[in-house]
Amino acid sequence: MLLDLYALVDAASGDDFAMMRPLTEDEVRDWAPEGRRTREQWIAALRTWALDFPGRGTGRCTILYRDGEPAGIGYWGCTADQRGNCREISPSGV
């Protein structure tokens, strides 16, 4: 599944339709208190709703770490079509 989003916006800019927004540090620390989130933490947070899916036509992303080093990016969001399907996308590089 593809997320039909056309731009990456600043984490503090808020939500705009068809935009991908990185999480703020506060949003990350809500589910990964140490700030160095792993792929496993990210998936668990999405599946337990500790990390919400954004509204229709918006997406989120966050850097994921392995052994304390950046290792990939996790993407998730909801499509802009009428179905508004929501899901996580396999993280890159992890």
Side-chain angles (χ1 to χ4, degrees):
M1 179 170 107
L2 295 175
L3 293 175
D4 43 356
L5 308 174
Y6 68 89
L8 177 68
V9 297
D10 184 78
S13 71
D15 291 321
D16 286 321
F17 190 74
M19 301 286 183
M20 176 69 65
R21 180 178 67 78
L23 294 180
T24 65
E25 282 302 312
D26 287 341
E27 289 172 319
V28 168
R29 291 187 186 280
D30 284 345
W31 56 275
E34 73 290 338
R36 298 279 178 165
R37 54 262 177 213
T38 65
R39 179 181 188 276
E40 293 75 20
Q41 286 175 304
W42 173 68
I43 290 170
L46 286 170
R47 293 194 175 151
T48 63
W49 295 97
L51 183 57
D52 291 333
F53 278 86
R56 183 174 164 249
T58 56
R60 298 283 181 275
C61 59
T62 193
I63 296 171
L64 301 174
Y65 293 80
R66 183 175 44 230
D67 300 324
E69 297 294 324
I73 301 174
Y75 298 94
W76 68 105
C78 298
T79 62
D81 63 12
Q82 289 183 329
R83 293 182 303 252
N85 293 318
C86 296
R87 67 165 294 162
E88 73 265 14
I89 305 299
S90 295
S92 67
V94 183

